[in-house]
CSV table of all heavy atoms in Angstrom, one decimal:
chain,number,residue,atom,x,y,z
A,1,PHE,N,7.6,-82.8,14.7
A,1,PHE,CA,6.4,-83.4,15.2
A,1,PHE,C,6.5,-84.9,15.1
A,1,PHE,O,6.8,-85.4,14.0
A,1,PHE,CB,5.2,-82.8,14.4
A,1,PHE,CG,3.9,-83.5,14.8
A,1,PHE,CD1,3.4,-83.4,16.2
A,1,PHE,CD2,3.1,-84.1,13.9
A,1,PHE,CE1,2.2,-83.9,16.5
A,1,PHE,CE2,1.9,-84.7,14.3
A,1,PHE,CZ,1.4,-84.6,15.6
A,2,HIS,N,6.3,-85.6,16.1
A,2,HIS,CA,6.6,-87.1,16.1
A,2,HIS,C,5.5,-87.9,15.6
A,2,HIS,O,5.6,-89.1,15.6
A,2,HIS,CB,7.1,-87.5,17.4
A,2,HIS,CG,8.4,-86.8,17.8
A,2,HIS,ND1,9.6,-86.9,17.1
A,2,HIS,CD2,8.6,-85.9,18.9
A,2,HIS,CE1,10.5,-86.2,17.7
A,2,HIS,NE2,10.0,-85.6,18.8
A,3,GLY,N,4.3,-87.3,15.3
A,3,GLY,CA,3.2,-88.1,14.8
A,3,GLY,C,2.3,-88.5,16.0
A,3,GLY,O,2.5,-88.2,17.2
A,4,SER,N,1.3,-89.2,15.6
A,4,SER,CA,0.3,-89.7,16.6
A,4,SER,C,-0.3,-91.0,16.1
A,4,SER,O,0.2,-91.6,15.1
A,4,SER,CB,-0.8,-88.7,16.8
A,4,SER,OG,-1.6,-88.5,15.6
A,5,ALA,N,-1.4,-91.5,16.8
A,5,ALA,CA,-2.0,-92.7,16.4
A,5,ALA,C,-2.6,-92.6,15.0
A,5,ALA,O,-2.8,-93.6,14.3
A,5,ALA,CB,-3.0,-93.1,17.4
A,6,THR,N,-3.0,-91.4,14.7
A,6,THR,CA,-3.7,-91.2,13.4
A,6,THR,C,-2.8,-90.5,12.3
A,6,THR,O,-3.2,-90.5,11.2
A,6,THR,CB,-5.0,-90.4,13.6
A,6,THR,OG1,-4.7,-89.2,14.2
A,6,THR,CG2,-6.0,-91.2,14.5
A,7,GLU,N,-1.7,-89.9,12.8
A,7,GLU,CA,-0.9,-89.1,11.9
A,7,GLU,C,0.5,-89.7,11.8
A,7,GLU,O,1.1,-90.1,12.8
A,7,GLU,CB,-0.8,-87.7,12.3
A,7,GLU,CG,-2.1,-86.9,12.2
A,7,GLU,CD,-2.5,-86.6,10.8
A,7,GLU,OE1,-1.7,-86.7,9.9
A,7,GLU,OE2,-3.8,-86.4,10.6
A,8,PRO,N,1.1,-89.9,10.6
A,8,PRO,CA,2.5,-90.4,10.5
A,8,PRO,C,3.5,-89.3,11.0
A,8,PRO,O,3.1,-88.1,11.0
A,8,PRO,CB,2.6,-90.6,9.0
A,8,PRO,CG,1.7,-89.7,8.4
A,8,PRO,CD,0.5,-89.6,9.3
A,9,PRO,N,4.7,-89.7,11.3
A,9,PRO,CA,5.7,-88.7,11.7
A,9,PRO,C,5.9,-87.7,10.5
A,9,PRO,O,6.0,-88.0,9.4
A,9,PRO,CB,6.9,-89.5,11.9
A,9,PRO,CG,6.4,-90.8,12.3
A,9,PRO,CD,5.2,-91.0,11.4
A,10,GLN,N,5.8,-86.4,10.9
A,10,GLN,CA,6.0,-85.4,9.9
A,10,GLN,C,6.4,-84.1,10.6
A,10,GLN,O,6.3,-83.9,11.8
A,10,GLN,CB,4.7,-85.2,9.1
A,10,GLN,CG,3.5,-84.7,10.0
A,10,GLN,CD,2.2,-84.6,9.3
A,10,GLN,OE1,2.2,-84.5,8.1
A,10,GLN,NE2,1.1,-84.6,10.0
A,11,PHE,N,6.8,-83.1,9.7
A,11,PHE,CA,7.0,-81.8,10.2
A,11,PHE,C,5.7,-81.0,10.3
A,11,PHE,O,4.8,-81.3,9.6
A,11,PHE,CB,8.0,-81.0,9.3
A,11,PHE,CG,9.4,-81.5,9.3
A,11,PHE,CD1,9.9,-82.2,8.2
A,11,PHE,CD2,10.2,-81.3,10.4
A,11,PHE,CE1,11.2,-82.6,8.2
A,11,PHE,CE2,11.5,-81.8,10.4
A,11,PHE,CZ,12.0,-82.5,9.3
A,12,THR,N,5.7,-80.0,11.2
A,12,THR,CA,4.6,-79.0,11.3
A,12,THR,C,5.1,-77.6,10.9
A,12,THR,O,6.3,-77.4,10.9
A,12,THR,CB,3.9,-79.1,12.7
A,12,THR,OG1,4.9,-78.8,13.6
A,12,THR,CG2,3.3,-80.4,12.9
A,13,ARG,N,4.1,-76.8,10.7
A,13,ARG,CA,4.4,-75.4,10.3
A,13,ARG,C,4.0,-74.4,11.4
A,13,ARG,O,3.1,-74.6,12.1
A,13,ARG,CB,3.7,-75.0,9.0
A,13,ARG,CG,3.9,-76.0,7.8
A,13,ARG,CD,3.0,-75.5,6.7
A,13,ARG,NE,2.9,-76.5,5.6
A,13,ARG,CZ,3.3,-76.2,4.4
A,13,ARG,NH1,3.8,-75.1,4.1
A,13,ARG,NH2,3.2,-77.2,3.4
A,14,GLY,N,4.8,-73.3,11.4
A,14,GLY,CA,4.4,-72.1,12.1
A,14,GLY,C,4.4,-71.0,11.0
A,14,GLY,O,5.3,-70.9,10.2
A,15,TYR,N,3.3,-70.2,11.0
A,15,TYR,CA,3.2,-69.2,9.9
A,15,TYR,C,3.1,-67.8,10.5
A,15,TYR,O,2.5,-67.5,11.5
A,15,TYR,CB,1.9,-69.4,9.1
A,15,TYR,CG,1.7,-68.4,8.0
A,15,TYR,CD1,2.4,-68.6,6.8
A,15,TYR,CD2,0.8,-67.4,8.1
A,15,TYR,CE1,2.2,-67.7,5.8
A,15,TYR,CE2,0.6,-66.5,7.1
A,15,TYR,CZ,1.3,-66.6,5.9
A,15,TYR,OH,1.1,-65.7,4.9
A,16,GLY,N,3.8,-66.9,9.8
A,16,GLY,CA,3.8,-65.5,10.2
A,16,GLY,C,3.8,-64.5,9.0
A,16,GLY,O,4.5,-64.9,8.0
A,17,VAL,N,3.2,-63.4,9.1
A,17,VAL,CA,3.2,-62.4,8.1
A,17,VAL,C,3.2,-61.0,8.7
A,17,VAL,O,2.7,-60.9,9.8
A,17,VAL,CB,2.0,-62.6,7.1
A,17,VAL,CG1,0.7,-62.3,7.8
A,17,VAL,CG2,2.1,-61.8,5.8
A,18,ALA,N,3.7,-60.1,8.0
A,18,ALA,CA,3.8,-58.7,8.6
A,18,ALA,C,3.8,-57.7,7.4
A,18,ALA,O,4.3,-58.0,6.3
A,18,ALA,CB,5.0,-58.5,9.5
A,19,LEU,N,3.3,-56.5,7.7
A,19,LEU,CA,3.3,-55.4,6.7
A,19,LEU,C,4.7,-54.9,6.5
A,19,LEU,O,5.5,-54.8,7.5
A,19,LEU,CB,2.4,-54.3,7.1
A,19,LEU,CG,0.9,-54.7,7.3
A,19,LEU,CD1,0.1,-53.4,7.7
A,19,LEU,CD2,0.3,-55.3,6.1
A,20,GLY,N,5.1,-54.6,5.3
A,20,GLY,CA,6.4,-54.0,5.0
A,20,GLY,C,7.6,-54.9,5.2
A,20,GLY,O,7.4,-56.2,5.2
A,21,ARG,N,8.7,-54.4,5.5
A,21,ARG,CA,9.9,-55.2,5.8
A,21,ARG,C,10.1,-55.4,7.3
A,21,ARG,O,10.6,-54.5,8.0
A,21,ARG,CB,11.2,-54.4,5.2
A,21,ARG,CG,11.2,-54.2,3.7
A,21,ARG,CD,12.4,-53.5,3.2
A,21,ARG,NE,12.3,-53.2,1.8
A,21,ARG,CZ,11.7,-52.2,1.2
A,21,ARG,NH1,11.0,-51.4,1.9
A,21,ARG,NH2,11.7,-52.1,-0.1
A,22,SER,N,9.5,-56.4,7.7
A,22,SER,CA,9.4,-56.7,9.2
A,22,SER,C,9.7,-58.1,9.5
A,22,SER,O,8.9,-58.9,9.9
A,22,SER,CB,8.0,-56.3,9.7
A,22,SER,OG,7.6,-55.1,9.3
A,23,GLU,N,11.0,-58.5,9.2
A,23,GLU,CA,11.4,-59.9,9.4
A,23,GLU,C,11.3,-60.4,10.8
A,23,GLU,O,10.8,-61.5,11.1
A,23,GLU,CB,12.8,-60.1,8.8
A,23,GLU,CG,12.9,-59.8,7.3
A,23,GLU,CD,14.3,-60.1,6.8
A,23,GLU,OE1,15.2,-60.6,7.6
A,23,GLU,OE2,14.5,-59.9,5.6
A,24,ARG,N,11.8,-59.6,11.7
A,24,ARG,CA,11.8,-60.0,13.1
A,24,ARG,C,10.3,-60.3,13.6
A,24,ARG,O,10.0,-61.2,14.3
A,24,ARG,CB,12.4,-58.9,14.0
A,24,ARG,CG,12.7,-59.3,15.4
A,24,ARG,CD,13.6,-58.3,16.1
A,24,ARG,NE,13.2,-56.9,15.8
A,24,ARG,CZ,14.0,-56.0,15.3
A,24,ARG,NH1,15.2,-56.3,15.0
A,24,ARG,NH2,13.5,-54.7,15.1
A,25,LYS,N,9.4,-59.4,13.2
A,25,LYS,CA,8.0,-59.6,13.5
A,25,LYS,C,7.4,-60.8,12.9
A,25,LYS,O,6.8,-61.6,13.6
A,25,LYS,CB,7.2,-58.3,13.1
A,25,LYS,CG,5.7,-58.4,13.3
A,25,LYS,CD,5.4,-58.4,14.8
A,25,LYS,CE,3.9,-58.3,15.0
A,25,LYS,NZ,3.4,-56.9,14.7
A,26,ALA,N,7.6,-61.0,11.6
A,26,ALA,CA,7.1,-62.2,10.9
A,26,ALA,C,7.6,-63.5,11.5
A,26,ALA,O,6.8,-64.4,11.7
A,26,ALA,CB,7.4,-62.1,9.4
A,27,MET,N,8.9,-63.5,11.8
A,27,MET,CA,9.5,-64.7,12.5
A,27,MET,C,8.9,-65.0,13.8
A,27,MET,O,8.6,-66.1,14.2
A,27,MET,CB,11.0,-64.6,12.5
A,27,MET,CG,11.7,-64.6,11.2
A,27,MET,SD,13.5,-64.3,11.3
A,27,MET,CE,14.0,-65.9,11.9
A,28,SER,N,8.7,-63.9,14.6
A,28,SER,CA,8.2,-64.1,16.0
A,28,SER,C,6.8,-64.6,15.9
A,28,SER,O,6.4,-65.4,16.7
A,28,SER,CB,8.3,-62.7,16.7
A,28,SER,OG,9.6,-62.3,16.9
A,29,VAL,N,6.0,-64.0,15.0
A,29,VAL,CA,4.6,-64.5,14.8
A,29,VAL,C,4.6,-65.9,14.5
A,29,VAL,O,3.8,-66.7,15.1
A,29,VAL,CB,3.9,-63.6,13.7
A,29,VAL,CG1,2.5,-64.3,13.4
A,29,VAL,CG2,3.7,-62.2,14.2
A,30,ALA,N,5.4,-66.4,13.6
A,30,ALA,CA,5.5,-67.8,13.2
A,30,ALA,C,5.8,-68.7,14.3
A,30,ALA,O,5.2,-69.8,14.5
A,30,ALA,CB,6.5,-68.0,12.0
A,31,LEU,N,6.8,-68.3,15.1
A,31,LEU,CA,7.2,-69.1,16.3
A,31,LEU,C,6.1,-69.2,17.3
A,31,LEU,O,5.8,-70.3,17.9
A,31,LEU,CB,8.5,-68.6,16.9
A,31,LEU,CG,9.7,-68.8,16.0
A,31,LEU,CD1,10.9,-67.9,16.5
A,31,LEU,CD2,10.1,-70.2,16.0
A,32,VAL,N,5.5,-68.1,17.7
A,32,VAL,CA,4.4,-68.1,18.7
A,32,VAL,C,3.2,-68.8,18.2
A,32,VAL,O,2.5,-69.5,18.9
A,32,VAL,CB,4.1,-66.6,19.1
A,32,VAL,CG1,2.9,-66.6,20.1
A,32,VAL,CG2,5.3,-66.0,19.8
A,33,GLU,N,2.9,-68.6,16.9
A,33,GLU,CA,1.7,-69.2,16.3
A,33,GLU,C,1.8,-70.7,16.4
A,33,GLU,O,0.8,-71.4,16.7
A,33,GLU,CB,1.6,-68.8,14.8
A,33,GLU,CG,0.2,-69.1,14.2
A,33,GLU,CD,0.2,-70.4,13.5
A,33,GLU,OE1,1.3,-70.9,13.0
A,33,GLU,OE2,-0.9,-71.1,13.4
A,34,ARG,N,3.0,-71.2,16.1
A,34,ARG,CA,3.2,-72.7,16.2
A,34,ARG,C,3.1,-73.1,17.7
A,34,ARG,O,2.5,-74.2,18.0
A,34,ARG,CB,4.6,-73.1,15.7
A,34,ARG,CG,5.0,-74.5,15.9
A,34,ARG,CD,4.0,-75.5,15.3
A,34,ARG,NE,4.4,-76.9,15.6
A,34,ARG,CZ,4.1,-77.5,16.7
A,34,ARG,NH1,3.5,-76.9,17.7
A,34,ARG,NH2,4.5,-78.8,16.9
A,35,ALA,N,3.6,-72.4,18.6
A,35,ALA,CA,3.5,-72.8,20.0
A,35,ALA,C,2.0,-72.8,20.5
A,35,ALA,O,1.6,-73.7,21.2
A,35,ALA,CB,4.2,-71.8,20.9
A,36,LEU,N,1.2,-71.9,19.9
A,36,LEU,CA,-0.3,-71.9,20.3
A,36,LEU,C,-1.1,-73.0,19.7
A,36,LEU,O,-2.2,-73.2,20.0
A,36,LEU,CB,-0.9,-70.6,19.9
A,36,LEU,CG,-0.4,-69.3,20.6
A,36,LEU,CD1,-1.0,-68.1,20.1
A,36,LEU,CD2,-0.7,-69.4,22.1
A,37,ARG,N,-0.4,-73.8,18.8
A,37,ARG,CA,-1.1,-74.9,18.1
A,37,ARG,C,-1.0,-76.2,18.9
A,37,ARG,O,-1.4,-77.3,18.5
A,37,ARG,CB,-0.6,-75.1,16.7
A,37,ARG,CG,-0.9,-73.9,15.8
A,37,ARG,CD,-0.4,-74.2,14.4
A,37,ARG,NE,-1.1,-75.4,13.9
A,37,ARG,CZ,-0.6,-76.2,12.9
A,37,ARG,NH1,0.6,-76.0,12.5
A,37,ARG,NH2,-1.3,-77.2,12.5
A,38,ALA,N,-0.3,-76.1,20.1
A,38,ALA,CA,0.0,-77.3,20.9
A,38,ALA,C,-1.2,-78.2,21.2
A,38,ALA,O,-1.2,-79.4,21.0
A,38,ALA,CB,0.7,-76.9,22.2
A,39,ASP,N,-2.3,-77.5,21.6
A,39,ASP,CA,-3.5,-78.3,22.0
A,39,ASP,C,-4.1,-79.0,20.8
A,39,ASP,O,-4.4,-80.2,20.9
A,39,ASP,CB,-4.5,-77.3,22.6
A,39,ASP,CG,-5.7,-78.1,23.2
A,39,ASP,OD1,-5.5,-79.0,24.0
A,39,ASP,OD2,-6.9,-77.7,22.9
A,40,GLU,N,-4.2,-78.3,19.6
A,40,GLU,CA,-4.9,-79.0,18.5
A,40,GLU,C,-4.0,-80.1,17.9
A,40,GLU,O,-4.5,-80.9,17.1
A,40,GLU,CB,-5.2,-77.9,17.4
A,40,GLU,CG,-4.0,-77.2,16.8
A,40,GLU,CD,-4.4,-76.0,16.0
A,40,GLU,OE1,-5.2,-75.2,16.6
A,40,GLU,OE2,-4.0,-75.9,14.9
């Protein structure tokens, strides 16, 4: 994330969680969740 007029350059997060041993699901949730934060 390259920052903005009010925010310094920094990294952003994508978060995912899933029941049980579900790594592919948790990673996919984290990636899509981050993509959906584009507007905010």
Side-chain angles (χ1 to χ4, degrees):
F1 177 58
H2 300 296
S4 65
T6 58
E7 295 289 341
Q10 61 182 340
F11 290 111
T12 54
R13 306 175 189 241
Y15 180 79
V17 68
L19 303 180
R21 297 176 182 86
S22 308
E23 294 184 3
R24 188 167 50 235
K25 175 66 174 289
M27 293 177 72
S28 297
V29 170
L31 289 166
V32 176
E33 193 268 331
R34 172 57 182 84
L36 291 177
R37 297 183 61 207
D39 189 50
E40 64 193 50

